[in-house]
Amino acid sequence: QHAAAWDRATLTALFDPETGWLDRRVLSDESLYQLELERIFARGWNFMCHESQLKAPGDYLISYIGEDQVIVVRGADGEIRALLNTCRHRGNALCRAEQGRAKSFVCSYHGWNYALDGELIGVPGQSTFYHGELDKSRLSLAKARIESHLGFYFATLAEDAPSLHDYLGVTGRAGLGMICAHGEIEVAEGVQKNIIDCNWKIAVDNLFDWYHVPYSHASANTAGFLDIARIQFPKDQMVMLGEYGHAIGGPGIPRAAQDQINALTDAQRMELSHAQADMAPRIRPRAATDLMGPEGVRSEGHPNIFPNLWVTISGTQMCLRLPRGPSHTELWWYTLVPKAAPPEAKREIIRRMNHVFGPAGLLEQDDGENWSQSTRSSRGVASRTLGHNLQMGLGHDEAKVGAGGEHYIEGLISEHGQRWLYRAWTEWMSARDWAELKANHSAPPTGRV
Ligand code: FES
Ligand code: FE
């Protein structure tokens, strides 16, 4: 019913990639938000969990596909499944805990009982009140499709979606590969969750925004909290663009420096990263080139797996930007630690990360306030008619392709990443199904951008 209000022409007119102007209603309109739930979240691959979060049969956690709540659970057979958390009787949420271990899921309303694979196995009064006539086989929990890459599980409600591998493409796989570049990881206990009163896309597009760092985060810099001088002052940026809106934006390692790293053995790289602690994340082991591509391995940016999985540049934090209406976003922060690290080292990473992003993070407190005010003015009758300006760097850079098929742009700090996000957004929103999206979405550009 929402599609009726917005046809292809009106949706495409909301963002002009040629001029970089975005209509602010994209950040505040309720009917656009409802259409996003249908055409972006229900249709895309949504991050559910990392395999380390569900170690044993019966381990489960709650996640979301848009506003559909999902129980992600490891079954008795070891398989991870995504079950919609809605009882097939009268819709009650079966599982109320955010995570735990269960033998089955019993509904708190009338007591229907579901196995870990979603099958309905028990109905009170089945032979008396239902006269033995209830067909339990037709009342299993609804399932979402679920697939994994490098231990990261994603789910979609779209039967016609491409495989997760194809959906991620080179850029999405490089983004997840960045996290695993230094070896196997696990998610630390305790996902931090908080709500910011901003549109989810502002929280997403900010990750490509390296222009705000010296201004928004000046206080963190003054306090000596982070050595952001290195981030602030190279004025260069490497942006990788992928199919369906995936992108990675941030500093890049100059090719000459990477050539020097490439000439080293893994042992020499290890030695070098111990000698230069702040450079350690950029001195990646040889295997990282296979995960990220020969040019992608030079990227030090934050990846976004479209629509809403944000990975930080360090590969030690990840954040889901979950939509909660046009004006609210729930942020779920995960800390990632090397699986093989000793407990004290893991604790140290967690302690450090808690001070960067998440509710107690100095950087996020700077960011959140700006996002919230930008969202608020997108609702004002007069202020929403003024566009959002995303024109930085338009027409000044060259998009190239690496030998691994990775698309990248190197140049000054720019808004290529943001433009790519909103271009993808109009394509997702105006396609009625996956066939139309596949036929009409933009391939990453080459040449002048
Ligand atoms: Fe779940 Fe009735 S709503 S048993
Ligand atoms: Fe920031």
Side-chain angles (χ1 to χ4, degrees):
Q1 73 275 22
H2 307 295
W6 297 97
D7 58 19
R8 177 175 290 277
T10 51
L11 285 163
T12 335
L14 292 170
F15 177 61
D16 180 0
E18 304 304 319
T19 62
W21 282 100
L22 176 73
D23 190 312
R24 287 185 177 169
R25 287 175 299 168
V26 167
L27 306 169
S28 60
D29 186 272
E30 177 66 36
S31 62
L32 284 175
Y33 173 72
Q34 291 300 330
L35 196 59
E36 284 177 338
L37 293 180
E38 293 168 18
R39 295 199 166 172
I40 296 180
F41 291 95
R43 187 188 285 169
W45 283 99
N46 299 260
F47 176 65
M48 295 286 109
C49 67
H50 182 259
E51 61 186 4
S52 61
Q53 294 176 275
L54 302 176
K55 293 191 172 74
D59 282 358
Y60 68 85
L61 51 79
I62 296 292
S63 196
Y64 285 89
I65 297 178
E67 297 216 24
D68 283 292
Q69 218 179 45
V70 179
I71 311 172
V72 192
V73 54
R74 194 182 282 277
D77 54 0
E79 283 281 296
I80 291 181
R81 295 182 177 82
L83 312 170
L84 292 200
N85 190 19
T86 176
C87 180
R88 294 297 308 277
H89 182 217
R90 223 69 71 67
N92 184 27
L94 284 167
C95 181
R96 306 290 178 84
E98 291 181 35
Q99 64 180 93
R101 185 170 294 170
K103 292 200 171 75
S104 66
F105 298 103
V106 181
C107 181
S108 63
Y109 201 167
H110 313 91
W112 286 22
N113 185 16
Y114 296 87
L116 299 176
D117 64 0
E119 202 192 321
L120 178 59
I121 50 176
V123 173
Q126 194 191 351
S127 54
T128 48
F129 310 138
Y130 282 109
H131 309 281
E133 288 164 4
L134 190 74
D135 184 356
K136 296 210 298 290
S137 69
R138 298 171 67 94
L139 293 165
S140 299
L141 295 180
K143 289 188 179 66
R145 268 177 76 189
I146 187 159
E147 291 178 16
S148 70
H149 181 72
L150 297 173
F152 296 90
Y153 280 79
F154 291 76
T156 178
L157 296 173
E159 283 305 322
D160 56 348
S163 69
L164 176 64
H165 183 273
D166 290 353
Y167 174 77
L168 292 171
V170 175
T171 304
R173 295 196 298 269
L176 295 178
M178 176 188 279
I179 307 175
C180 307
H182 291 275
E184 234 187 308
I185 57 100
E186 62 186 17
V187 171
E189 277 293 322
V191 177
Q192 297 192 42
K193 303 176 178 179
N194 68 309
I195 293 179
I196 294 185
D197 49 354
C198 69
N199 183 273
W200 67 275
K201 296 184 293 301
I202 294 190
V204 169
D205 84 35
N206 179 81
L207 80 100
F208 308 119
D209 189 314
W210 289 79
Y211 185 41
H212 81 285
V213 176
Y215 281 84
S216 290
H217 301 303
S219 56
N221 195 29
T222 310
F225 165 64
L226 274 184
D227 178 18
I228 57 176
R230 185 171 69 84
I231 302 169
Q232 269 183 45
F233 294 110
K235 296 181 174 60
D236 305 322
Q237 196 180 18
M238 178 168 176
V239 182
M240 293 175 68
L241 304 179
E243 269 190 304
Y244 305 124
H246 311 302
I248 305 179
I253 303 168
R255 188 175 280 108
Q258 185 63 42
D259 286 346
Q260 285 176 2
I261 297 171
N262 288 347
L264 304 174
T265 63
D266 275 348
Q268 289 168 321
R269 291 179 201 213
M270 187 81 83
E271 213 172 292
L272 190 63
S273 45
H274 285 310
Q276 303 184 23
D278 66 319
M279 299 278 283
R282 67 193 333 201
I283 305 169
R284 297 187 167 116
R286 285 167 171 245
T289 304
D290 297 335
L291 291 169
M292 301 175 67
E295 300 297 336
V297 78
R298 298 195 292 113
S299 165
E300 284 201 295
H302 300 309
N304 184 55
I305 312 296
F306 191 89
N308 63 341
L309 178 66
W310 209 97
V311 179
T312 66
I313 197 167
S314 57
T316 45
Q317 282 181 297
M318 239 171 33
C319 185
L320 263 180
R321 294 11 192 144
L322 294 167
R324 293 290 175 265
S327 298
H328 291 87
T329 303
E330 191 166 328
L331 285 82
W332 286 14
W333 279 102
Y334 305 76
T335 299
L336 311 163
V337 293
K339 201 171 174 179
E344 331 66 87
K346 290 183 186 177
R347 268 200 302 277
E348 176 55 19
I349 295 174
I350 295 165
R351 194 192 63 78
R352 243 182 318 121
M353 290 308 116
N354 285 347
H355 287 87
V356 184
F357 293 114
L362 278 180
L363 296 194
E364 192 142 283
Q365 293 178 32
D366 297 334
D367 290 325
E369 184 58 21
N370 292 330
W371 304 343
S372 155
Q373 295 302 318
S374 292
T375 300
R376 191 182 55 75
S377 63
S378 303
R379 291 197 298 266
V381 171
S383 30
R384 75 176 172 227
T385 65
L386 307 168
H388 248 47
N389 181 292
L390 297 167
Q391 73 180 70
M392 189 183 289
L394 246 177
H396 287 276
D397 293 308
E398 209 65 42
K400 297 178 184 156
V401 192
E406 66 273 46
H407 288 255
Y408 66 101
I409 302 164
E410 277 179 293
L412 294 171
I413 282 178
S414 67
E415 285 166 346
H416 293 302
Q418 290 94 321
R419 286 193 291 276
W420 188 245
L421 173 77
Y422 290 108
R423 177 197 282 255
W425 182 88
T426 59
E427 292 170 354
W428 278 77
M429 291 289 277
S430 53
R432 277 168 307 193
D433 52 29
W434 259 103
E436 224 175 84
L437 181 58
K438 280 183 192 160
N440 293 324
H441 77 285
S442 300
T446 47
R448 185 69 33 181
V449 282

